[in-house]
Structures are given as C-alpha cells and as structure tokens.
Amino acid sequence: MWGKSITISLFGESHGEAVGINITGLPSGIKLDLDFINEEMKRRAPGKSNLSTSRKEMDTPEILSGYFEGYTTGTPLCAIIRNRDTHSKDYDDLKNLMRPGHADYTGVMRYNGFNDYRGGGHFSGRLTAPLVFAGAICKQILAESDIVIGAHIKSIKDVEDATFDDMNLSSDLFENLRTSQLPLIDKSKETLMRQAILDAKLEGDSVGGVIECAILGICAGIGEPFFDSVESTLAHLAFSVPAVKGIEFGLGFNMTKLYGSEANGALYYEGDMIKTKTNYNGGILGGITTGMPIIFRCAIKPTASILKEQETVNLSEKKEATLRIKGRHDPCIVQRALPVIEAIAAIGMLDLIKRTQCQSV
Ligand SMILES: Cc1cc2nc3c(=O)[nH]c(=O)nc-3n(C[C@H](O)[C@H](O)[C@H](O)COP(=O)(O)O)c2cc1C
C-alpha cells in the first residue's frame, strides 16, 4: 500500500483471475471520463505492435466500488482488469529454473516458494495496468487545475532523442507525444530506435532506455519535507514500477559537472510570478515545488526474459542449469512503461497537492 491522502494498493498476478487496485481518498463527485481512462489503458496495453509482447489483452477496467451513476462516491474505488490471454504452460519450467534478471529467485525466497511464478506472477509488468487506471483518474483531477503531465522516450539503447526544453513546454507537445507509438521529440530518431528494438528481438535479446517526464502547471510550495519531499514521493513510486533502475531530477547526475554559478538558476519576476532563468533543479528545491516544470528521468533496464540461452540454477535439482525461455515478452519495456511513469507522477503529485496549500507571494 502507498500514499497518505490518496492511498493505492495493488493486487493480482499475471496469470491469475485479474490484477487490480483499491484507491482511497479520491474526492467524491468526480465525473469519471471513461473514454480517457480507456485511452490511457490502451497506451500501455500489450500486443499492439511487433515492438511489444504478442500477448493480447484488452485491459478494460471493471470498476467494482466507489463509483455510482457516473461519479466517484469518495469511498474506496476498487477496479480489476481481467487476465484473458494467458499461456501458463510456457512457464512450467520456471518453477525450478530461475530467470536471470527477473524476480523468480527473490520471489521464491520472499514467499517461501508459494509465489505464483506463471508469467512473473505478482512481479509481472501487468501489475502496472491498474497503476495506469489510477493515474488516469488522478490526471483527470489534476487537469481541472491545469496541471498536465507528458513524457517521451529519451533514449533506447544508445539512440538518443532530444531533451525536453523545459522553458518552452506546452500541453500541445504532450498531446502530440500521447498519440505516437514511440513518443519522440525528434521524430527523425524513430527509425533508428525501432531498428534497435527489432535488432535485439531478432537476436533473441532485449534493450532498455530512459523515459523523460515533465509535469506542468504545479504552483510553488507543494511537497512535505523531509520524507515526503517531491523527489522522495516520485522516486518511491517510480521504483515501485518493475524494471525501473534509476531516477534523476533536473540535470541529475550531470549537475555535478557544473559550477554553482551555472547550476543555481537566477530568480526573476514575470508579472507577479517568481520564476527561475534556468531549471536545472527540475522544478524542485528543498523537496518543494518551485513553480517551474518538474522534470525527471527514469532508467528502464533491458527486459530480463530473453530468448537466448542463459546460465542459471535448477532449484529442485540443486545444480547449475541452462535456460531457454518460452513465453511472450517485450523486447523493450520502455515504450510500454512510459504511460506508467506518467501515471505514477499523477498519483504522487495529487497525493502531495491534497496535503499542501500553495502560497501566493
Ligand atoms: C510495462 C512492463 C512490461 C514488462 N514486460 C516484461 C516482460 O515481458 N518480460 C520480462 O521479463 N519483464 C517484463 N517487465 C519487467 C519485470 O516485471 C521486472 O523486470 C521484474 O519484475 C524484476 O523487477 P526489477 O527489474 O524491478 O528488479 C515489464 C515491466 C513493465 C513496467
């Protein structure tokens, strides 16, 4: 379970009956935009192209509670997404043969061997479908205050897109990115990125990459230092997304290469708004929003389940073994994780906003 003013708890397994989420703390009387929710679900859903797993799931959420006559009731809102296209036989070997890079071994250790290993069980990327559902509701609530969230693929393997120009971001750009299969600022990189994924797939291998996310329209003064600072909140949620191995804010690690005079960002008045001339701190100082765009990047590792033969151990025989994974897997997770990163950004910021009041200076 995560959250203070909005709480979410995830449940389900990849090849069980369903995956789902229970959300508490949502305001009552929100008219849910079901079309928008379904569009968001489709952005993450598998089986749309040769760049993702061939598992075909509609990912239509069924709302079980907290929703009446088109509006949220304010009581816990629970939704499930049924698993339809399961090929559980493909996973028979994985009861004993641990996939390198996946959570098979750690899952066995944590749950004493009682974990559902089929399709990755509770560690499957499918658990991110309910996160996107919750994120869509939070995005809708944030949009009422003109807070918008967008993301693009910053890189796949060593193919790089441009970086967000965070002094000139607009919701129009986000709309454009939303509808692309590979959301890129520099469209000329699309062929190279697609090729990097397909080349890896052809080799029975996988690739990873970086997602860059921006949040616009947040006023200054949001965040609950120390432990629920904006960075802590977003990092906590981002690291709950399977395959995320790093996060940085603003210039992140590259900030260490600047002098303070270059990194700081001079303050100035634009009308009665206080702004900074640069935004290398990613819209956050002292764990609190500055009013500038919040910018962060997440590193997504190459998919663990690859078709190449790998070395591992056989738990029942207690000896080393080789593994050839069957199953259907994403040769690259990045493009499917992108709406999930937007979703956690929406959930995290709504939780913080509900706890803090913006100050006008
Ligand atoms: C949208 C999405 C789809 C994923 N698809 C796969 C997949 O097809 N095969 C796989 O091995 N891992 C996939 N993963 C990642 C694994 O769930 C993850 O690597 C695993 O649970 C181990 O956790 P960790 O990488 O965070 O340590 C996916 C993750 C996401 C967010």
Side-chain angles (χ1 to χ4, degrees):
M1 181 177 277
W2 179 90
K4 296 256 165 65
S5 59
I6 305 262
T7 72
I8 50 172
S9 68
L10 282 180
F11 55 87
E13 284 85 22
S14 180
H15 288 207
E17 199 57 41
V19 293
I21 193 160
N22 192 38
I23 315 167
T24 70
L26 288 174
S28 57
I30 303 285
K31 191 174 194 315
L32 289 187
D33 183 343
L34 299 181
D35 289 340
F36 175 68
I37 292 174
N38 284 324
E39 274 169 32
E40 289 291 283
M41 299 301 289
K42 278 196 199 117
R43 291 175 70 208
R44 195 219 67 97
K48 287 178 305 192
S49 79
N50 58 353
L51 300 182
S52 81
T53 167
S54 54
R55 180 170 174 173
K56 295 239 175 341
E57 294 284 0
M58 291 306 291
D59 280 0
T60 311
E62 294 169 39
I63 303 179
L64 304 183
S65 68
Y67 180 64
F68 182 56
E69 295 180 337
Y71 293 86
T72 57
T73 58
T75 54
L77 192 149
C78 183
I80 59 168
I81 296 135
R82 290 188 193 274
N83 298 316
R84 306 267 185 205
D85 185 20
T86 53
H87 290 186
S88 300
K89 269 252 147 279
D90 289 347
Y91 293 85
D92 282 354
D93 291 349
L94 299 184
K95 183 171 172 50
N96 290 306
L97 290 171
M98 305 291 98
R99 279 175 297 175
H102 214 292
D104 300 340
Y105 169 58
T106 51
V108 167
M109 295 308 286
R110 172 65 179 80
Y111 299 107
N112 306 310
F114 286 95
N115 54 309
D116 179 354
Y117 54 84
R118 299 166 305 161
H122 190 61
F123 304 99
S124 164
R126 262 197 88 55
L127 272 289
T128 60
L131 280 178
V132 170
F133 169 79
I137 296 176
C138 294
K139 275 185 178 182
Q140 200 196 313
I141 297 170
L142 291 172
E144 283 170 17
S145 307
D146 295 324
I147 297 168
V148 287
I149 298 172
H152 72 111
I153 299 176
K154 177 73 189 76
S155 63
I156 284 180
K157 191 80 173 50
D158 37 27
V159 186
E160 290 269 342
D161 188 17
T163 303
F164 269 145
D165 173 4
D166 51 356
M167 307 309 276
N168 285 302
L169 284 174
S170 71
S171 50
D172 289 351
L173 171 63
F174 293 173
E175 251 336 290
N176 228 319
L177 293 169
R178 262 177 70 74
T179 48
S180 312
Q181 196 184 59
L182 288 180
L184 295 170
I185 299 170
D186 179 357
K187 300 265 184 227
S188 73
K189 295 294 170 64
E190 183 166 341
T191 313
L192 281 174
M193 275 198 188
R194 197 175 282 278
Q195 206 50 52
I197 300 173
L198 294 176
D199 286 350
K201 186 178 175 181
L202 203 66
E203 292 292 312
D205 220 320
S206 64
V207 285
V210 174
I211 295 164
E212 185 173 50
C213 185
I215 309 169
L216 304 184
I218 297 252
C219 61
I222 302 290
E224 294 291 292
F226 269 71
F227 301 113
D228 293 328
S229 71
V230 176
E231 286 115 324
S232 324
T233 300
L234 294 178
H236 189 152
L237 284 164
F239 281 125
S240 308
V241 176
V244 169
K245 288 292 167 185
I247 185 164
E248 61 177 9
F249 294 86
L251 267 198
F253 278 65
N254 277 333
M255 209 169 189
T256 59
K257 299 186 180 125
L258 300 185
Y259 287 110
S261 55
E262 296 169 312
N264 285 347
L267 294 150
Y268 72 101
Y269 270 108
E270 192 175 285
D272 53 6
M273 294 246 310
I274 296 174
K275 292 196 164 184
T276 58
K277 289 192 176 165
T278 56
N279 187 31
Y280 299 150
N281 286 282
I284 308 161
L285 287 169
I288 301 166
T289 54
T290 62
M292 299 297 287
I294 296 174
I295 307 281
F296 66 98
R297 281 174 291 283
C298 290
I300 310 289
K301 75 183 195 182
T303 319
S305 305
I306 53 174
L307 300 185
K308 276 190 167 168
E309 189 171 275
Q310 296 180 86
E311 293 173 9
T312 186
V313 292
N314 185 316
L315 288 191
S316 67
E317 295 174 7
K318 290 195 176 3
K319 62 180 195 196
E320 287 164 16
T322 52
L323 168 66
R324 263 195 190 277
I325 292 170
K326 293 179 211 126
R328 298 159 296 171
H329 297 279
D330 292 293
C332 178
I333 296 164
V334 178
Q335 68 283 8
R336 293 191 55 217
L338 186 142
V340 185
I341 297 302
E342 289 180 15
I344 59 103
I347 297 166
M349 291 320 297
L350 185 63
D351 182 71
L352 286 177
I353 287 168
K354 284 192 79 200
R355 295 166 64 189
T356 342
Q357 293 292 319
C358 285
Q359 304 291 322
S360 49
V361 183

